Amino acid sequence: MHDTTLWIIIGFAGQALFTMRFVVQWIASEKAKRSLVPVAFWFFSVGGGVVLLGYAIHREDPVFIAGQAGGLVIYARNLWLIYGHKLKEGAGKAG
């Protein structure tokens, strides 16, 4: 397989992961009949962001690199806050 073809496949895979976050969010919101952001949204954001960052680095696109790297910080922070809150809730119930 040609190197360019492989990277195009990687780029589309990252974009597919990134798109799935909106699909997951939409389904969860429709089920709840209100706007929700499920934890899976952030995991798809991280997955898509990592793959697309790799693609951006390969393409040597500084704008794309900065955008994906900045987004990854936000996605990771949201997961940190979610799981930190769950740990505190669990510790409060145990004590």
Side-chain angles (χ1 to χ4, degrees), residues 45-81:
S45 297
V46 169
V50 166
V51 175
L52 288 173
L53 177 60
Y55 181 75
I57 291 169
H58 172 75
R59 298 289 306 227
E60 299 179 1
D61 184 330
V63 174
F64 197 9
I65 291 167
Q68 291 305 317
L72 283 170
V73 172
I74 294 166
Y75 313 145
R77 179 64 178 152
N78 274 283
L79 285 169
W80 183 273
L81 291 170

Side-chain angles (χ1 to χ4, degrees), residues 29-59:
S29 294
E30 288 294 335
K31 284 183 180 180
K33 303 293 184 213
R34 63 187 179 95
S35 182
L36 295 175
V37 180
V39 175
F41 178 93
W42 300 112
F43 280 109
F44 277 114
S45 297
V46 169
V50 166
V51 175
L52 288 173
L53 177 60
Y55 181 75
I57 291 169
H58 172 75
R59 298 289 306 227

Side-chain angles (χ1 to χ4, degrees), residues 8-24 44-45 47-49 51-52:
I8 289 172
I9 291 168
I10 290 170
F12 274 118
Q15 192 60 49
L17 284 169
F18 216 60
T19 299
M20 281 305 299
R21 67 194 193 136
F22 292 113
V23 173
V24 166
F44 277 114
S45 297
V51 175
L52 288 173

